[in-house]
Amino acid sequence: MTVFTTTLTATINQTTETSAHAPFILQLSSGDLPLTTFRYYLIQDNHYLTAFNRLHQEIATHLPANEGAILSHLGEGEDAARQRMHKEIGLGTQELQETPVAPNAYSYITHMYYQLDRYGAAAATAGLLPCYWLYSELAQRLAVKHSPVHLYQEFFDSYTAADFTTSTEQMKAIVNQQAASVDELGRQQMTRAFQISCYYEEQFWQMAFDQQEWQ
C-alpha cells in the first residue's frame, strides 16, 4: 500500500508554492513587512495555536497510547519560540486574550474541531498536518534568504530547526498510522481534511496581510 502522506504531496507542494508568493511572506523575507502587520499575525497565530494545542490533547485521547503520547508532546512544540517573539515585540497576555479571533482564524479552528467531532481522530490528525508540513517546507525553501529584520529571521529559523523537522516527521508518521487503520472512506475524509486545512493555511497569510476584521 502507498504511504498515505505520499498521496498528499501534490497538495502540499501547491500550498507551499502559493504561500511562498504570498505578500505577507515576501515582505517578511525582504524585511518590508510593517511591524504592526506581524504583530497582528502573532496575535491571531496565538489564538490558532491555543486551539491547536488543545486539539492535540483531545485527539490524543482517541489514539493508541504510544501515538497519543507523541501527539500530546507535539502540541507543546511552538510555545517557547512564540513566547520569545511576544516578549521581543512587547505583546502581553491581556492583548492576546482581548483581541477578537479574526474570521479566517475562526473558520480554521472551527474546521479542525469539526473534523474530530464529525469524522473522528484519523481525519482530525490529517487536519493538523498542514501546519507542520507547510511551515517546514516553506522554511526550507526560504532558507537561502535572510530577512534583514532579526525578528522576522527568527520566525523563519524556528521552522528550520532540527526539532521542528523531527516534529513534522512524527506528525506524518501518526497520520500514516491512522490512515492504515481506517477504510477507503476514512482515507478520503482524511484527504479532504488535509486539503481544507491547506486552504486555510493559504488564507491565513492574506488574513494577516490585510489585518482582517469582522464586518
Side-chain angles (χ1 to χ4, degrees):
M1 180 184 293
T2 302
V3 175
F4 178 72
T5 52
T6 302
T7 69
L8 307 175
T9 303
T11 299
I12 201 65
N13 286 348
Q14 180 58 55
T15 301
T16 303
E17 179 70 17
T18 300
S19 297
H21 291 90
F24 181 90
I25 293 297
L26 291 174
Q27 291 190 14
L28 197 68
S29 182
S30 69
D32 295 325
L33 189 74
L35 195 57
T36 53
T37 304
F38 190 62
R39 186 186 192 90
Y40 174 98
Y41 168 85
L42 287 177
I43 292 171
Q44 294 305 321
D45 183 62
N46 184 74
H47 286 312
Y48 169 83
L49 287 177
T50 298
F52 191 67
N53 293 348
R54 287 174 180 165
L55 271 161
H56 277 67
Q57 309 311 317
E58 291 185 31
I59 296 168
T61 66
H62 299 277
L63 301 180
N66 60 329
E67 292 177 37
I70 294 171
L71 191 66
S72 293
H73 177 70
L74 289 177
E76 304 165 359
E78 294 182 78
D79 289 351
R82 283 298 190 270
Q83 287 171 8
R84 288 195 300 271
M85 292 180 201
H86 293 171
K87 184 177 182 179
E88 186 169 342
I89 207 171
L91 189 54
T93 302
Q94 184 174 354
E95 185 176 358
L96 289 168
Q97 292 179 345
E98 292 183 354
T99 304
V101 181
N104 185 77
Y106 181 90
S107 296
Y108 194 176
I109 291 167
T110 301
H111 149 67
M112 292 191 298
Y113 273 105
Y114 178 81
Q115 295 303 318
L116 178 60
D117 293 342
R118 179 68 177 85
Y119 299 115
T125 58
L128 296 178
L129 180 56
C131 187
Y132 289 89
W133 201 352
L134 170 63
Y135 277 69
S136 182
E137 291 290 328
L138 193 58
Q140 295 297 332
R141 178 168 177 161
L142 297 173
V144 295
K145 300 181 180 180
H146 296 280
S147 177
V149 177
H150 169 74
L151 182 65
Y152 299 170
Q153 187 58 42
E154 182 181 356
F155 172 81
F156 287 126
D157 289 345
S158 67
Y159 293 106
T160 56
D163 57 348
F164 188 77
T165 301
T166 299
S167 295
T168 301
E169 292 306 311
Q170 288 177 318
M171 191 67 218
K172 289 168 73 173
I174 289 173
V175 170
N176 284 326
Q177 288 163 351
Q178 285 297 295
S181 71
V182 297
D183 59 15
E184 181 57 32
L185 177 59
R187 286 186 285 276
Q188 290 174 8
Q189 292 165 345
M190 292 177 72
T191 298
R192 186 58 178 157
F194 181 86
Q195 291 170 337
I196 295 172
S197 288
C198 284
Y199 168 81
Y200 282 124
E201 286 289 347
E202 293 176 15
Q203 296 302 310
F204 211 95
W205 308 125
Q206 194 63 43
M207 174 198 74
F209 191 75
D210 295 338
Q211 296 190 47
Q212 183 188 55
E213 296 180 351
W214 293 97
Q215 300 298 317

